[in-house]
């Protein structure tokens, strides 16, 4: 009789040989043993697949797949999720490192809160060499986040988990909302978190359970992806704001943050694109912003926010004026 794993780890790989061995070793050295690891090489051109093929010989928990052509992150994640067997699915990235008790803590949290649609945990940041980059911020987000609270936080401060490697999703709920939207290239994770949060509560594990690696090769850090990310984010941001329609006061505040915080951030990205002489990307972003607001009005709001930031009053403006 086949034993159902407590949790499935799904890992898409594309030209990841530099950090791949460390990322996978951290998965295979967890404090629990009843889990499966599903890895799919997304038509890599480096030695990633050669390394992966050896893993099934040494560990029968590992299953290796290969795409004949590059499908992209979210199509590959969906493929792995559909092949997995665990009631919980932990998403993973080829650059990152799990702390030894990561899976144990995630499983225990979901066993304690069985109705959660997903959870995320805190992280440590490391650089290319694995050296910790200190980053501490005050985060008063509670362990249980209902739909309204998710909308209030995300409409003001953006995507809550921030990444995929610190996220565990409930299989049944993920299937109910259609898994990752494969039409999206960069923001399908933010889209899925929002759909799951709209369906039910999500959870936050306050412990740091993952070392999240920051390096220059990541797609989300590439300036050529800025306009596309914003194009994909805008409908998600609007969907988040709409979750607050039944609360007139919070709905009003969410719209103010959309105009005074999120849109000026997009304008700042536009200026950056102009600075690095990415004029084609700049034109795309200008067209995108013009469909949402007046560019002149946005320029004025950006100037006000930048001035407030220069004199270190921007957070007080957000909290004491927009969020009052």
């Amino acid at each position: 009789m086949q034993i159902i794993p407590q949790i499935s780890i799904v890992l898409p790989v594309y030209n990841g040989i530099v950090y791949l061995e460390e990322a996978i070793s951290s998965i295979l050295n967890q404090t629990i043993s009843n889990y499966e690891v599903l890895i799919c090489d997304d038509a890599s051109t480096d030695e990633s697949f050669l390394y992966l093929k050896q893993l099934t010989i040494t560990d029968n928990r590992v299953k290796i797949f290969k795409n004949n052509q590059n499908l992209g992150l979210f199509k590959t994640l969906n493929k792995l999720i559909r092949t997995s067997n665990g009631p919980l699915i932990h998403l993973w990235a080829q650059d990152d490192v799990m702390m030894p008790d990561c899976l144990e803590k995630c499983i225990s949290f979901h066993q304690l809160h069985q109705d959660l649609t997903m959870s995320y945990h805190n992280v440590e940041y490391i650089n290319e060499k694995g050296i910790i980059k200190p980053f501490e911020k005050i985060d008063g987000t509670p362990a249980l986040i209902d739909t309204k609270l998710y909308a209030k936080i995300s409409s003001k401060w953006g995507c809550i988990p921030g990444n995929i490697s610190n996220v565990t999703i409930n299989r049944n709920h993920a299937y109910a909302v259609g898994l990752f939207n494969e039409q999206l290239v960069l923001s399908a994770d933010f889209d899925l978190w929002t759909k799951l949060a709209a369906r039910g509560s999500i959870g936050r594990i306050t412990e740091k359970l993952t070392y999240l690696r920051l390096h220059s090769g990541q797609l989300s850090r590439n300036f050529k992806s800025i306009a596309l990310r914003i194009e994909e984010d805008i409908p998600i941001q609007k969907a988040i704001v709409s979750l607050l329609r039944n609360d007139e006061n919070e709905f009003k505040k969410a719209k103010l943050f959309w105009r005074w915080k999120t849109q000026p951030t997009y304008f700042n990205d536009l200026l950056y694109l102009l600075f690095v002489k990415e004029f084609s990307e700049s034109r795309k972003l200008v067209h995108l912003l013009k469909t949402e607001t007046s560019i002149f009005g946005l320029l004025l709001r950006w100037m006000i926010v930048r001035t407030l930031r220069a004199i270190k009053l921007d957070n007080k403006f957000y909290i004491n004026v927009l969020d009052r």
Side-chain angles (χ1 to χ4, degrees):
M1 184 177 69
Q2 183 179 9
I3 299 175
I4 298 175
Q6 289 180 287
I7 192 168
S8 301
I9 298 89
V10 295
L11 170 59
V13 171
Y14 179 69
N15 290 348
I17 193 63
V18 174
Y19 304 114
L20 193 55
E21 184 175 358
E22 186 178 7
I24 293 175
S25 294
S26 72
I27 300 173
L28 299 179
N29 288 287
Q30 292 291 297
T31 54
I32 62 167
S33 58
N34 184 19
Y35 59 93
E36 63 176 359
V37 185
L38 293 89
I39 308 172
C40 183
D41 181 86
D42 194 17
S44 293
T45 57
D46 66 1
E47 298 178 353
S48 293
F49 188 63
L50 292 176
Y51 168 72
L52 293 175
K53 285 197 300 184
Q54 304 172 21
L55 292 175
T56 55
I57 300 173
T58 57
D59 199 312
N60 59 14
R61 293 172 299 182
V62 180
K63 300 175 184 177
I64 304 298
F65 306 89
K66 182 176 177 61
N67 294 335
N68 293 325
Q69 60 183 8
N70 185 267
L71 299 182
L73 174 62
F74 298 113
K75 287 184 179 180
T76 304
L77 276 171
N78 279 349
K79 174 181 177 179
L80 290 171
I81 291 170
R82 293 187 182 105
T83 309
S84 66
N85 298 291
L88 298 174
I89 300 165
H90 191 87
L91 310 177
W92 196 234
Q94 64 192 24
D95 310 322
D96 302 327
V97 180
M98 277 189 190
M99 297 185 188
D101 58 351
C102 176
L103 296 181
E104 181 181 358
K105 294 286 179 63
C106 291
I107 291 169
S108 296
F109 188 77
H110 277 265
Q111 288 175 339
L112 185 62
H113 308 288
Q114 297 189 14
D115 293 332
L116 294 178
T117 60
M118 62 171 275
S119 69
Y120 70 99
H121 56 259
N122 286 4
V123 302
E124 287 274 20
Y125 291 95
I126 56 175
N127 64 14
E128 289 94 336
K129 297 180 181 179
I131 299 172
I132 293 176
K133 297 172 67 70
F135 179 79
E136 293 292 341
K137 67 176 182 179
I138 299 174
D139 189 345
T141 308
L144 301 179
I145 306 164
D146 63 18
T147 300
K148 183 177 178 180
L149 182 56
Y150 172 89
K152 286 169 63 177
I153 296 172
S154 295
S155 64
K156 298 166 186 174
W157 311 110
C159 181
I160 293 180
N163 303 277
I164 66 169
S165 291
N166 57 329
V167 170
T168 301
I169 59 177
N170 178 293
R171 165 185 296 280
N172 292 335
H173 289 299
Y175 268 90
V177 300
L179 303 182
F180 290 102
N181 181 347
E182 296 181 1
Q183 302 305 309
L184 301 179
V185 177
L186 295 171
S187 301
D189 48 356
F190 192 13
D191 176 71
L192 181 58
W193 314 156
T194 300
K195 289 176 180 175
L196 288 171
R199 181 174 171 82
S201 293
I202 70 173
R204 172 183 175 241
I205 303 172
T206 58
E207 294 173 83
K208 296 177 179 179
L209 301 177
T210 292
Y211 294 106
L212 193 75
R213 196 182 305 272
L214 301 175
H215 62 88
S216 58
Q218 292 161 316
L219 177 61
S220 60
R221 295 167 63 84
N222 189 326
F223 60 78
K224 291 185 179 293
S225 68
I226 288 175
L228 178 58
R229 173 184 55 78
I230 292 173
E231 181 181 8
E232 293 183 352
D233 275 1
I234 286 174
I236 302 169
Q237 292 284 1
K238 289 182 176 180
I240 290 169
V241 173
S242 70
L243 292 174
L244 295 167
R245 285 189 179 277
N246 292 332
D247 186 323
E248 184 177 351
N249 186 46
E250 291 298 337
F251 184 54
K252 177 182 176 182
K253 288 193 287 188
K255 290 193 293 184
L256 285 172
F257 269 86
W258 166 244
R259 286 177 56 79
W260 281 93
K261 187 173 187 299
T262 306
Q263 289 183 355
T265 300
Y266 294 160
F267 191 82
N268 204 62
D269 289 333
L270 172 62
L271 295 179
Y272 173 73
L273 289 173
L274 291 170
F275 176 75
V276 296
K277 299 181 181 180
E278 282 293 324
F279 300 121
S280 176
E281 291 295 303
S282 300
R283 286 192 293 271
K284 291 178 187 176
L285 189 48
V286 168
H287 176 73
L288 203 60
L289 294 176
K290 285 173 67 176
T291 64
E292 299 298 324
T293 187
S294 158
I295 295 295
F296 179 70
L298 179 53
L299 170 61
L300 289 177
R301 295 197 299 277
W302 177 84
M303 291 175 65
I304 292 170
V305 170
R306 292 298 294 186
T307 301
L308 291 169
R309 180 173 298 179
I311 59 177
K312 298 183 179 180
L313 290 177
D314 52 327
N315 281 332
K316 287 188 176 181
F317 172 68
Y318 297 139
I319 296 169
N320 298 332
V321 178
L322 300 187
D323 201 22
R324 69 180 188 279

